[in-house]
Amino acid sequence: MLRIAVQAKGRLYEETMELMKEAGIKLSNAKRTLLIPSKNFPIEVLFLRDDDIPQSVASGVADVGIVGENEFVEKEEDAQIVKRLGFSKCRISLAIPKDVDYQGVNWFNGKKIATSYPVILQNFLNANNIKADIHVITGSVEIAPGIGLSDAIFDIVSSGSTLVSNHLKEVEIVMQSEAVLIGHNALSEEKKEILDELMFRFDSVQKAEGKKYILLNAPNENLKEIINTLPGMKSPTIMPLAEEGWSSVHSVIDDKQFWDVINKIKGLGAQGILVVPIEKMIL
């Protein structure tokens, strides 16, 4: 049995539970339960505060955990990043009052900075030879300059709307963060096998994200050009149609290329284009 620590609530919790569901891992809907075993996979889920997850994995209370990279780096616990998960993306940035004339990082010399991430901030200041007073706050860091508690803040930024509403502007991006799967450094062989299967399932879900499966009818005279236009995993599948001179083409394309590709193959005579969402992708 592999024990995985996850955040007990919030956006990271919701996205983690969605990933588990897409990976075919069934969990009970028990409320206020600290530890829940899976019904169909050899794992149990331990619900914790996000800042407790790195320590729980490092100490072996949990075998692996899903946590924001920012929390993992901040806690400096002895564990390893096993896999980047690509969701709950944000950045950790320095922000100052919007009416301040900012000329560069030297502005922070002698200033007071409010943050919930003193370790990451201190490392940044040391790297830039900046001496500033770090004021540690848990909670609404962004209000600190407005009430005179600090000159600047160092905090998570997603859309930036919270900064705007507090009359702040982002001036230095210190770190990019996303959800990561972290692991204990001394897992047994049995638990490593379970973890490998878990990562295989996660990979299959992630590879399908942003992909579409398309089927189309193509005139054979333009078949080579249409095939060259389609960015398939290896190469498109081609099957002859009952109508002479036509073939059925199957391929996978990325959402980012979708409309550009569709317009090009339509211009080459493709017809009957069918687009299907992909749930899993096994390579």
Side-chain angles (χ1 to χ4, degrees):
M1 181 76 75
L2 187 78
R3 180 177 292 176
I4 179 169
V6 305
Q7 189 170 314
K9 60 182 179 179
R11 183 165 67 100
L12 185 56
Y13 161 80
E14 293 170 358
E15 292 182 302
T16 299
M17 290 299 100
E18 182 61 27
L19 176 60
M20 294 275 198
K21 180 181 176 181
E22 290 294 325
I25 297 169
K26 295 181 180 179
L27 300 169
S28 71
N29 294 320
K31 300 294 184 182
R32 298 182 181 178
T33 302
L34 181 65
L35 193 64
I36 298 177
S38 169
K39 298 176 182 179
N40 65 339
F41 193 78
I43 67 167
E44 54 184 3
V45 178
L46 176 64
F47 294 104
L48 298 173
R49 284 169 48 95
D50 58 346
D51 53 358
D52 289 333
I53 294 175
Q55 184 182 36
S56 74
V57 174
S59 65
V61 172
D63 301 307
V64 295
I66 294 178
V67 68
E69 186 178 3
N70 55 302
E71 288 291 346
F72 178 64
V73 173
E74 176 66 26
K75 297 305 179 184
E76 297 185 308
E77 295 287 353
D78 186 22
Q80 58 182 311
I81 293 179
V82 177
K83 180 175 176 56
R84 296 182 177 277
L85 297 174
F87 58 82
S88 291
K89 291 185 177 182
C90 64
R91 55 194 182 273
I92 319 297
S93 298
L94 283 157
I96 63 176
K98 67 177 184 179
D99 56 352
V100 171
D101 180 23
Y102 181 74
Q103 298 295 325
V105 292
N106 287 330
W107 181 89
F108 292 99
N109 263 314
K111 298 295 195 298
K112 182 181 287 187
I113 307 171
T115 186
S116 300
Y117 301 96
V119 172
I120 298 173
L121 175 58
Q122 188 63 67
N123 289 339
F124 174 80
L125 296 176
N126 292 343
N128 288 277
N129 298 313
I130 303 295
K131 294 187 181 300
D133 180 16
I134 297 176
H135 188 79
V136 180
I137 294 178
T138 56
S140 302
V141 174
E142 65 276 357
I143 68 171
I147 61 176
L149 194 60
S150 70
D151 302 298
I153 69 166
F154 179 65
D155 201 17
I156 290 175
V157 178
S158 295
S159 67
S161 60
T162 302
L163 295 181
V164 172
S165 63
N166 284 278
H167 309 289
L168 300 172
K169 62 182 178 182
E170 184 179 13
V171 293
E172 297 287 341
I173 298 175
V174 175
M175 175 185 175
Q176 298 285 352
S177 178
E178 64 182 290
V180 291
L181 178 68
I182 61 173
H184 185 62
N185 287 325
L187 292 179
S188 67
E189 288 303 315
E190 179 186 1
K191 290 182 177 182
K192 285 180 181 178
E193 288 181 9
I194 299 171
L195 179 58
D196 287 343
E197 173 62 24
L198 183 65
M199 287 196 295
F200 169 72
R201 293 191 181 198
F202 285 176
D203 283 341
S204 298
V205 174
Q206 286 182 296
K207 286 183 174 71
E209 290 176 357
K211 300 289 193 304
K212 295 287 189 293
Y213 188 78
I214 66 168
L215 304 86
L216 58 100
N217 298 330
N220 289 346
E221 59 195 42
N222 293 332
L223 190 56
K224 186 174 181 180
E225 288 180 84
I226 290 174
I227 291 171
N228 290 336
T229 302
L230 293 170
M233 291 180 289
K234 288 187 178 178
S235 63
T237 300
I238 312 297
M239 294 180 288
L241 293 178
E243 184 177 345
E244 189 175 344
W246 286 80
S247 295
S248 176
V249 180
H250 299 205
S251 188
V252 174
I253 62 175
D254 194 288
D255 267 345
K256 295 177 182 178
Q257 303 170 297
F258 180 77
W259 290 112
D260 184 48
V261 169
I262 292 300
N263 285 332
K264 286 179 180 178
I265 62 176
K266 281 180 63 180
L268 291 168
Q271 298 178 6
I273 302 171
L274 178 64
V275 182
V276 182
I278 299 174
E279 184 177 313
K280 309 286 188 299
M281 186 179 291
I282 314 297
L283 298 179

